[in-house]
Amino acid sequence: MPFSSLLLYLSLLLPAASTSCTSGPPFRGKGLQLDKTSLSFDFIVVGAGNAGAVVAARLSEDPCVRVLLLEEGNYSQDSGRDSTSTHQNWIAEQIITPRRDYRTWALPALTHQLSTEANPAVNNRSGILLGPVVTGKALGGSTVVNIGAYTRPEPAYFNRWGIKNWSGDETEAYFHKQEDHEDPHPEYGKGGPVHVEHGDAQTVYPYLHQASLSMDPPLRSNSAGRLSYGVPQVYRVIENGRRGRLHRLPAACVGPAAELEALGVPVVANVSGVGKHLLARTNVLFFYGNGSVVPEMNPFVLRDPATTEMYDLEHRGPYSLGALGIYSVVKGRYPGDDDYILFMTDVIPEVAPRMVALGCANLRVHGPGGQVLLDPTDPLGAKHPRIQLNMAAAEEDRRALRHCLRDVRDMMAEPIMTTNGFYEIFPTHRLVEDTDKALDRWISRGYTFYSWHATSTARMGDVLDDRMRVQGGVQGLRVVDASAVPDMIEAGPMATLFMLGERAADLIKEDYRENT
């Protein structure tokens, strides 16, 4: 499925009644070819990402329930590693090695490459000039192309939703259920299916860690854990509460009726909020170097068999860090809503081993947001939607970015950084001063791009009810993905999307039991 719940398509399936409980082994397959005897399911989950794969796994725990999990593509976390094809083996290696995740973003075998329309607050840039918009197409969804950062929002974030079934206490229980965290602290779960480890950033980049602590006040943050390897992002559950067979229907949509009818698209239900309220973070970079190859980015170190072995045996060392070696949520440093995400990327080691980029993203997203529309030239071709991100439109978002950019400069000016010879390569103080006006100009015209965190185009309380069911009289359809959250996730989205799948699975089970 190409982009977070752009519009809700009912182009697939409708079950008709049947009843018995079938015993026997679970219905699984790789590259499965369905035949006439296997077209009977209780639930169809479209999209095998964080939430979708979790929903399918939890529903299929009941041996009397048959679940069909659909995903596009030919790869998973494990596929290709033992292939006789050198190319397949190479792609599999990129998927499972965090250090190489940046390579996956441009691989047609793993991604949909989407485009965006002009963004007014970012100098009207669009398309590749606003950064690539990619979604994964593999078992695991977009986790095959993301950085594997695992950060949770605080319980207060969920309490602010004000939605039944989704309080901070209720969601906390589902974070615990999914986690197998190496940290022994009781706030983390143990024994769940998602294994989380602390990253090696403090070991691999000790000078950056020391610089952050020596600032006045120290730059304290909630640093990301990481998945030991990528796993299942998101999509739709189609259900009936009883066994049925698949029938293909004419393509039709749930969404704003006037917009759909103007494009000649049949309307299943008029739900005006579909595709609206798109929230997207803004990423902004400053570049630093010290005139020599930074040791941990040295291609010769990365090619050393000992470095590879450290990762293979212990999941430690340079290969354990994704394209964002540091990913930290910084909260409470400034009043109001000016919290931010600070990250570090070594760009591309083989191309730029002499540079690090320190990046900033606004934690929250304010303002009207953007939207996703159907392309009038291809209204039912979901691979080509019209995406209007409308990033950095609100002053609150730009203010958080300005705070972060100033903190980055302060951190890089700490004695441990200057002693190691680091200096700002681009843009430099001469080109961009620390004034609000200058930093806003850099946010608009500088190295600014889309964060790949987009949410809320089918949000609960609007398009969905509190059990993630599509409103407007639609039966048997839920949306379980990042588009369902009412506001931008106040952390990296991965952990929350796993939790969303866990919570949704229990809600679906409860309703299924009531209906059967």
Side-chain angles (χ1 to χ4, degrees), residues 108-310:
L110 297 178
T111 61
H112 283 291
Q113 302 286 331
L114 304 176
S115 188
T116 57
E117 298 188 355
N119 198 117
V122 190
N123 202 29
N124 279 317
R125 279 185 275 167
S126 62
I128 195 65
L129 296 178
L130 205 57
V133 177
V134 299
T135 58
K137 56 175 185 181
L139 188 60
S142 292
T143 64
V144 301
V145 297
N146 74 4
I147 66 166
Y150 188 96
T151 53
R152 286 199 213 161
E154 294 178 348
Y157 162 72
F158 297 101
N159 289 334
R160 286 196 297 274
W161 287 9
I163 296 178
K164 182 183 175 183
N165 298 314
W166 297 94
S167 70
D169 288 342
E170 288 169 298
T171 54
E172 184 80 3
Y174 285 94
F175 280 114
H176 275 250
K177 182 179 181 180
Q178 73 196 26
E179 290 171 348
D180 179 30
H181 208 297
E182 71 170 7
D183 192 317
H185 195 282
E187 73 172 293
Y188 299 116
K190 307 292 184 295
V194 180
H195 183 63
V196 184
E197 301 173 348
H198 284 298
D200 254 5
Q202 293 183 18
T203 303
V204 178
Y205 302 105
Y207 41 84
L208 286 170
H209 177 62
Q210 292 175 39
S212 70
L213 295 181
S214 62
M215 294 173 66
D216 184 18
L219 189 66
R220 301 191 183 280
S221 64
N222 175 17
S223 295
R226 59 177 170 77
L227 300 181
S228 56
Y229 40 83
V231 211
Q233 182 179 12
V234 288
Y235 292 132
R236 284 156 269 287
V237 183
I238 299 174
E239 54 181 292
N240 198 36
R242 54 186 181 174
R243 189 64 55 77
R245 291 190 176 278
L246 303 185
H247 301 280
R248 185 170 182 85
L249 297 177
C253 282
V254 175
E259 294 179 16
L260 297 175
E261 289 168 351
L263 297 172
V265 176
V267 179
V268 172
N270 178 21
V271 183
S272 61
V274 174
K276 311 303 181 186
H277 199 70
L278 171 64
L279 301 178
R281 284 197 179 100
T282 307
N283 285 349
V284 189
L285 299 182
F286 280 166
F287 296 88
Y288 293 85
N290 66 352
S292 63
V293 173
V294 181
E296 46 288 330
M297 292 180 287
N298 190 325
F300 297 105
V301 172
L302 295 177
R303 292 173 190 150
D304 186 334
T307 306
T308 306
E309 186 175 353
M310 185 187 304

Side-chain angles (χ1 to χ4, degrees), residues 1-12 46 72 111-115 133-135 235-236 248 251-253 263 265 372-387:
M1 281 298 193
F3 193 78
S4 264
S5 281
L6 309 179
L7 289 146
L8 309 179
Y9 286 97
L10 297 181
S11 57
L12 286 168
V46 184
E72 186 176 0
T111 61
H112 283 291
Q113 302 286 331
L114 304 176
S115 188
V133 177
V134 299
T135 58
Y235 292 132
R236 284 156 269 287
R248 185 170 182 85
C253 282
L263 297 172
V265 176
V372 181
L373 303 169
L374 294 178
D375 183 345
T377 65
D378 184 22
L380 292 177
K383 293 182 180 180
H384 303 285
R386 295 175 55 202
I387 303 171

Side-chain angles (χ1 to χ4, degrees), residues 40-84:
S40 180
F41 303 95
D42 298 288
F43 300 96
I44 300 164
V45 181
V46 184
N50 301 55
V54 170
V55 168
R58 293 302 189 188
L59 294 179
S60 62
E61 289 173 343
D62 183 342
C64 289
V65 169
R66 282 170 68 86
V67 179
L68 175 64
L69 176 62
L70 297 173
E71 180 56 76
E72 186 176 0
N74 298 313
Y75 286 88
S76 70
Q77 304 294 348
D78 299 314
S79 64
R81 275 189 283 180
D82 300 319
S83 171
T84 56

Side-chain angles (χ1 to χ4, degrees), residues 403-419:
H403 284 318
C404 179
L405 291 170
R406 290 185 181 114
D407 282 346
V408 164
R409 280 182 161 169
D410 289 347
M411 182 176 72
M412 297 305 286
E414 287 294 316
I416 191 170
M417 302 307 298
T418 56
T419 299

Side-chain angles (χ1 to χ4, degrees), residues 322-379:
L324 304 187
I326 296 173
Y327 187 91
S328 299
V329 177
V330 179
K331 302 194 72 174
R333 192 171 175 82
Y334 297 96
D337 289 345
D338 294 355
D339 299 328
Y340 60 78
I341 296 171
L342 185 149
F343 59 91
M344 187 281 297
T345 177
D346 55 26
V347 197
I348 301 176
E350 295 89 340
V351 175
R354 298 174 185 270
M355 282 201 300
V356 292
L358 273 292
C360 297
N362 48 305
L363 182 65
R364 301 178 181 89
V365 179
H366 302 80
Q371 61 180 337
V372 181
L373 303 169
L374 294 178
D375 183 345
T377 65
D378 184 22

